[in-house]
Amino acid sequence: MNTISNTHIVVIGNGMVGYKFCEKLLAKKKSDQQITLTVFGEEPRVAYDRVHLSEYFAGKTADELTLACADWYADNGIRLFLSDPVVDIDREEKLVRSHHGHIVYYDYLIMATGSGAFVPSIPGVEKDGVFVYRTIEDLELIQSYARKAKKGAVLGGGLLGLEAAKALLDLGLQEAHVVEFASRLMPRQIDDAGSRILQNQLESLGLQIHLAKSTQEIVGGDCIEGMQFSDNSLLDVDMLVISAGIRPRDELAKIAGLETHPRGGIVVNNQLQTSDPNIFAIGECALAHHMIYGLIAPGYEMAEVVATLLLGGDKEFLPYDMSTKLKLIGTDVASFGDPFIQEPACKTIRYENKAKGVYKRINVSQDGKTLLGGILVGDAEQYNMLLQTCKSKTILPPDSEDLILGSRGGEEAGAGVMSFPDDALICSCEAVTKGMICHEVSEKGNHTMDALKKSCKAGTGCGGCVPMVKDIISGAMKQNGIYVRNVVCEHFDYSRQELLDLVKMNGAKTYGAVLNEFGKGDGCEVCKPLVASLLASLWNENILQKDRATIQDSNDRFLANIQKGGTYSVVPRIPGGEITPEKLIIIGQVAQQYNLYTKITGGQRIDLFGAHLNDLPDIWEKLINAGFESGHAYGKSLRTVKSCVGSTWCRFGVQDSVTFAIEVEDRYKGLRSPHKLKSAVSGCVRECAEAQSKDFGIIATEKGWNLYVCGNGGSKPQHAQLLATDVDKETCLKLIDRFLMFYIKTADPLTRTATWLNKMEGGMSYLRAVIVDDVLGIAAELEQDIQQLIDVYQCEWKEVVQNPELRKRFSHFVNAPVKDPSVTFETMRDQKRAKEWA
């Protein structure tokens, strides 16, 4: 196609893909290329982000979803007609006529009409209270109707249906149902096992899932009252959102005589030309390679292809990889490559953790050398790496299960992002490759994520590639000999480690002193909690005194975790999980007096929920008088040291694990660190205390104790790794002293010990050399520093109870000692729970 000049281009459709075409065309256009660009939009507003449409119900405004304001079109010479769809195309004269009578000539016509919601022909579908989920106007109607509805349902359990279900939850309906015709949720993306995990996660959030249901009729008078199914069951609902798929908007193409598929879609070739070579189709209206691409990334690639062709370039739209990563109502879901290939065509490795809501499946070639595809539910952190490994056909490590389980030998599985070829597609939304990112870093000096977003738009689409883009930026900088500094924020031009050393050397003990000496401006919500953590880790002084109270995270400000409904939880420390009957009775009495919900935690403690802010000091005082202390459940500090009964009661125990656990917890209680710390002591190799899932865990042996470090549970579980074997108590504590202080001094903000180790050059071998062998010669300093923190420990609850000025902080209203009247409760299993927020 020849380079064009003085060319008239008309775009029908002003959705995300139509807008992206205009943006790419303008970016590629040379100064000597004259283009007249006209856009017709059916909706009354400029292009907006449909990918994040559900965030509208979470408080995001229509303006915040907008991709570009009206001024952008005017500034770039684009004639824009809104609320004015094209109704006729005269292919002979190359004219389009709009609903309002505008007639515009074109040299090339771009059809970006997108798709509409597929509405099944179910009797009663026209009733009031039945909606589709497609545009902001649809969402406004849903929001308005939901104010008088109590029970809502979504017809469709695919991606769009679950997005709509999230909307019902956000709108606060008493009941929210998902009705799916297939036997599992998201049948096009995940398998049966993954679907079961996803279903369990969604049901735990309050959604009611109905599978293998065929809706026969929507019952009621003028308004919906229920859904009748083919099995004669009836679901009572007073609101229904239909999200059963999409249907390409090809009606205008049919009128114009363009070739369309019997099942929908405008047929296009590899250049995205329709049966008329002067008319192109892009996005969800186009049928390319015998399929409709219902994701935004291939739509953007289509826009790239046509923009390139019209400006004289050479480009084809090739079959597009439909791998995708999503977050559905807080749950990660991803699939890549060929997720459904079955044995014997491959070898399939599965990991399933129902307790954590995690399912992972990878399909490996029969020879074990290449990754063919996979599914991730509940934890999709490895998605980008797995996707690139699959697409680039990277040779897999000998133990291919390491790809989803993590290496158990201290080294990361695979060779990292910098081993990928330059043409590896990193940002599929904007077609940005690894080579392009490295070029931006090396040749143009763009060393931050914000700079990359502005220069090549990487990470500006769905955002799923951002972690990998950041890793490539760091890798490219290191390859170019550029020192990579993760500075705190715009107010402190230092890394956390540098700032910690400066604060220590200068003896700064308040936020004001730190900001005046080493920062600028007034600080922000990033640096304030970070400095608060540094000060606590260095000096262990009361976090609520001087100017330190206002820089704490919300929970630390009140020495308790704020909970649903606006009340707080109280967790007293129970070292090693050992408690006397007398102390149990005190906890029961306090719970009765203040009407608190009680629950035994996984860390062998008792959590008291539902405390009013005003009551916290009184509750603490009663607990302190009985010998309890703060459990620091609210802080980035040591939480618990679990224990089994060990040799004191268990016939298999080889050491007294309870006594050692109490010693460990009493030694490190109140120790502040970059993230929370958990520990455990097991009395034998049966490991009943689960020490290998902790930040530091101790397991008894016949000769002494084995020390494990850098493990964690949670959504991304990782086994701890062996640091030392058969050591005595004194040596074990000395090694823990060094380990914890080294972690405090060197870890990035909000980084658990497992992640800290994973990013550490040299991995476990280096950590063992520093902690056990003292190759850096800092062991004595680390031991001295942590002993100083241990020596000055004071219970934070006790300091509040004994200090009238600190006690005044715990009042909901400054001028009146009354409780928050908006806090309400309801009964559940003979205890109370907070009522749902409206």
Side-chain angles (χ1 to χ4, degrees):
M1 193 169 294
N2 294 326
T3 303
I4 61 174
S5 60
N6 298 318
T7 302
H8 295 263
I9 299 174
V10 173
V11 181
I12 303 177
N14 190 38
M16 294 182 73
V17 175
Y19 162 78
K20 183 58 66 174
F21 167 77
C22 296
E23 183 186 75
K24 287 182 177 292
L25 189 72
L26 294 171
K28 293 174 179 293
K29 183 177 73 71
K30 298 177 181 177
S31 59
D32 61 343
Q33 294 175 316
Q34 300 300 314
I35 295 173
T36 300
L37 190 56
T38 305
V39 177
F40 287 92
E42 185 177 45
E43 294 186 56
R45 61 183 81 245
V46 293
Y48 56 89
D49 183 0
R50 294 186 196 273
V51 173
H52 300 99
L53 196 59
S54 61
E55 295 180 18
Y56 182 80
F57 291 119
K60 206 163 190 176
T61 66
D63 286 342
E64 289 172 324
L65 290 169
T66 298
L67 296 176
C69 63
D71 290 343
W72 179 85
Y73 295 85
D75 292 344
N76 285 286
I78 301 173
R79 287 196 300 167
L80 176 64
F81 298 97
L82 297 177
S83 298
D84 194 11
V86 171
V87 295
D88 184 59
I89 301 172
D90 184 339
R91 291 166 53 196
E92 292 293 328
E93 300 295 329
K94 290 190 174 181
L95 298 173
V96 298
R97 180 172 57 86
S98 75
H99 174 73
H100 291 303
H102 294 102
I103 298 175
V104 179
Y105 171 82
Y106 67 86
D107 290 302
Y108 295 102
L109 179 64
I110 314 301
M111 301 198 70
T113 49
S115 63
F118 170 67
V119 180
S121 55
I122 301 171
V125 76
E126 75 287 346
K127 296 183 187 297
D128 288 344
V130 180
F131 304 91
V132 295
Y133 188 86
R134 196 68 184 153
T135 67
I136 288 180
E137 284 66 41
D138 293 333
L139 270 59
E140 289 173 341
L141 292 172
I142 292 170
Q143 190 174 50
S144 175
Y145 197 88
R147 296 189 182 102
K148 59 183 179 182
K150 295 182 179 178
K151 301 177 181 180
V154 173
L155 184 61
L159 167 60
L160 296 176
L162 296 181
E163 287 284 343
K166 180 183 187 302
L168 295 186
L169 291 177
D170 290 339
L171 289 169
L173 272 66
Q174 291 179 7
E175 293 182 13
H177 302 260
V178 174
V179 178
E180 168 57 40
F181 178 78
S183 61
R184 67 176 188 261
L185 295 173
M186 298 191 69
R188 293 186 178 183
Q189 285 85 18
I190 58 179
D191 59 11
D192 288 338
S195 179
R196 285 193 296 270
I197 291 290
L198 176 62
Q199 181 177 344
N200 290 338
Q201 292 295 97
L202 298 182
E203 287 177 339
S204 70
L205 297 172
L207 281 177
Q208 299 181 47
I209 311 295
H210 309 268
L211 300 176
K213 289 288 187 180
S214 176
T215 306
Q216 295 296 100
E217 183 182 2
I218 297 171
V219 299
D222 292 335
C223 300
I224 179 176
E225 295 176 8
M227 302 172 68
Q228 181 75 50
F229 302 118
S230 59
D231 59 5
N232 294 322
S233 60
L234 178 70
L235 178 63
D236 291 329
V237 293
D238 46 21
M239 182 177 181
L240 173 64
V241 178
I242 296 177
S243 188
I246 60 173
R247 175 166 284 170
R249 294 287 303 275
D250 58 5
E251 57 270 24
L252 182 61
K254 289 178 180 177
I255 294 172
L258 298 175
E259 182 185 356
T260 59
H261 193 274
R263 299 184 63 180
I266 306 169
V267 177
V268 296
N269 60 19
N270 287 0
Q271 284 75 37
L272 300 169
Q273 290 170 302
T274 66
S275 52
D276 184 330
N278 297 312
I279 301 178
F280 297 79
I282 58 177
E284 292 176 341
C285 68
L287 183 80
H289 305 294
H290 309 289
M291 71 177 294
I292 300 293
Y293 288 90
L295 296 176
I296 191 60
Y300 280 4
E301 176 64 11
M302 289 179 178
E304 169 78 18
V305 169
V306 176
T308 300
L309 289 171
L310 292 184
L311 292 172
D314 183 22
K315 196 173 180 69
E316 287 187 349
F317 180 76
L318 302 175
Y320 205 86
D321 178 34
M322 294 296 282
S323 302
T324 185
K325 175 188 173 187
L326 315 157
K327 186 174 283 289
L328 296 170
I329 322 181
T331 300
D332 285 335
V333 178
S335 63
F336 59 93
D338 189 345
F340 299 120
I341 188 173
Q342 297 287 337
E343 296 177 338
C346 70
K347 294 179 181 178
T348 297
I349 301 170
R350 292 181 176 89
Y351 166 79
E352 185 171 354
N353 188 330
K354 293 181 180 179
K356 301 293 186 183
V358 173
Y359 172 76
K360 301 180 182 183
R361 165 182 171 170
I362 56 172
N363 304 317
V364 178
S365 62
Q366 278 288 354
D367 59 10
K369 292 183 178 181
T370 56
L371 180 62
L372 304 178
I375 295 169
L376 304 170
V377 177
D379 174 15
E381 183 182 32
Q382 299 145 315
Y383 168 75
N384 286 314
M385 186 67 72
L386 291 172
L387 174 62
Q388 294 304 328
T389 301
C390 178
K391 293 174 70 172
S392 63
K393 300 189 182 302
T394 302
I395 300 299
L396 300 182
D399 299 317
S400 50
E401 66 270 19
D402 289 354
L403 293 171
I404 54 174
L405 299 179
S407 173
R408 273 83 68 205
E411 303 296 331
E412 287 290 293
V417 294
M418 298 310 290
S419 66
F420 291 136
D422 284 347
D423 61 357
L425 187 64
I426 304 300
C427 175
S428 57
C429 292
E430 293 291 343
V432 180
T433 64
K434 178 207 160 192
M436 293 166 65
I437 296 171
C438 290
H439 177 78
E440 291 290 333
V441 174
S442 304
E443 303 299 325
K444 297 186 178 181
N446 293 316
H447 296 162
T448 66
M449 192 66 225
D450 285 343
L452 260 292
K453 285 182 177 181
K454 292 175 183 177
S455 64
C456 65
K457 292 192 172 292
T460 58
C462 69
C465 65
V466 169
M468 183 169 282
V469 173
K470 289 182 176 179
D471 288 343
I472 294 174
I473 292 172
S474 296
M477 290 174 67
K478 288 179 180 178
Q479 285 183 348
N480 284 276
I482 302 170
Y483 175 50
V484 180
R485 296 176 67 234
N486 296 317
V487 298
V488 170
C489 69
E490 63 189 81
H491 303 105
F492 290 95
D493 192 28
Y494 301 101
S495 67
R496 178 190 176 276
Q497 297 87 340
E498 292 168 339
L499 189 58
L500 182 143
D501 289 336
L502 289 170
V503 171
K504 182 181 179 182
M505 286 188 295
N506 289 270
K509 296 189 176 183
T510 66
Y511 178 70
V514 176
L515 186 64
N516 291 336
E517 188 72 22
F518 310 113
K520 58 187 176 182
D522 297 321
C524 64
E525 297 310 307
V526 173
C527 62
K528 288 180 180 178
L530 184 144
V531 173
S533 174
L534 289 185
L535 294 174
S537 294
L538 286 171
W539 316 119
N540 210 6
E541 293 184 349
N542 189 290
I543 63 174
L544 300 183
Q545 290 183 327
K546 300 179 181 177
D547 68 351
R548 294 188 290 261
T550 56
I551 63 171
Q552 305 295 330
D553 280 325
S554 299
N555 293 333
D556 290 275
R557 290 188 189 190
F558 301 105
L559 308 182
N561 287 324
I562 188 169
Q563 301 290 349
K564 201 175 192 178
T567 59
Y568 295 80
S569 63
V570 176
V571 188
R573 187 170 298 284
I574 302 176
E578 182 183 78
I579 189 168
T580 64
E582 291 76 17
K583 283 190 172 182
L584 279 172
I585 290 170
I586 292 295
I587 288 178
Q589 290 173 342
V590 169
Q592 283 183 328
Q593 180 177 350
Y594 293 94
N595 188 25
L596 304 177
Y597 171 90
T598 56
K599 187 181 184 304
I600 296 174
T601 73
Q604 299 180 341
R605 304 197 285 193
I606 299 175
D607 206 339
L608 310 173
F609 291 86
H612 287 270
L613 179 63
N614 302 51
D615 290 334
L616 288 176
D618 295 332
I619 293 171
W620 296 339
E621 187 168 11
K622 294 183 185 307
L623 293 172
I624 288 166
N625 290 339
F628 289 103
E629 292 181 303
S630 166
H632 289 90
Y634 47 84
K636 301 294 186 289
S637 56
L638 179 72
R639 298 288 178 84
T640 60
V641 181
K642 287 179 64 174
S643 71
C644 64
V645 293
S647 61
T648 51
W649 289 97
C650 179
R651 58 196 177 94
F652 298 109
V654 295
Q655 302 285 356
D656 183 358
S657 53
V658 179
T659 298
F660 197 16
I662 293 172
E663 290 178 19
V664 171
E665 187 156 352
D666 282 338
R667 179 170 181 79
Y668 302 115
K669 61 188 177 186
L671 182 69
R672 301 277 174 157
S673 53
H675 212 302
K676 63 185 176 185
L677 293 166
K678 294 184 178 182
S679 181
V681 182
S682 286
C684 73
V685 293
R686 286 173 175 79
E687 246 282 72
C688 294
E690 302 169 330
Q692 291 180 83
S693 66
K694 306 302 179 188
D695 294 283
F696 60 103
I698 306 165
I699 301 177
T701 69
E702 295 286 353
K703 300 179 181 179
W705 305 91
N706 286 349
L707 176 60
Y708 293 80
V709 296
C710 298
N712 65 246
S715 62
K716 301 174 181 64
Q718 180 169 318
H719 269 100
Q721 298 183 37
L722 184 63
L723 181 69
T725 57
D726 296 327
V727 294
D728 56 34
K729 274 189 179 183
E730 181 181 354
T731 303
C732 188
L733 289 175
K734 184 179 293 187
L735 294 176
I736 296 172
D737 283 354
R738 298 175 185 177
F739 164 73
L740 291 177
M741 207 65 215
F742 189 55
Y743 165 62
I744 289 171
K745 285 175 174 285
T746 62
D748 287 331
L750 301 178
T751 300
R752 289 291 298 271
T753 57
T755 305
W756 171 64
L757 177 62
N758 291 341
K759 293 183 176 181
M760 185 182 294
E761 291 190 19
M764 193 64 199
S765 298
Y766 175 73
L767 183 63
R768 186 179 292 109
V770 173
I771 303 303
V772 179
D773 302 329
D774 192 22
V775 295
L776 299 181
I778 59 172
E781 178 187 344
L782 296 174
E783 293 170 22
Q784 180 182 350
D785 287 346
I786 201 165
Q787 189 60 50
Q788 289 175 352
L789 297 176
I790 293 168
D791 291 342
V792 298
Y793 164 79
Q794 296 288 329
C795 173
E796 293 168 340
W797 287 356
K798 188 173 184 179
E799 290 184 279
V800 170
V801 167
Q802 295 177 344
N803 188 321
E805 287 303 312
L806 290 179
R807 199 161 183 155
K808 288 179 183 178
R809 297 182 55 83
F810 295 85
S811 177
H812 191 80
F813 300 101
V814 175
N815 58 349
V818 296
K819 298 174 182 178
D820 182 357
S822 66
V823 174
T824 55
F825 302 96
E826 58 189 14
T827 302
M828 180 183 69
R829 294 187 294 276
D830 298 325
Q831 294 202 78
K832 73 175 185 182
R833 58 160 284 177
K835 278 191 176 180
E836 297 289 342
W837 277 324

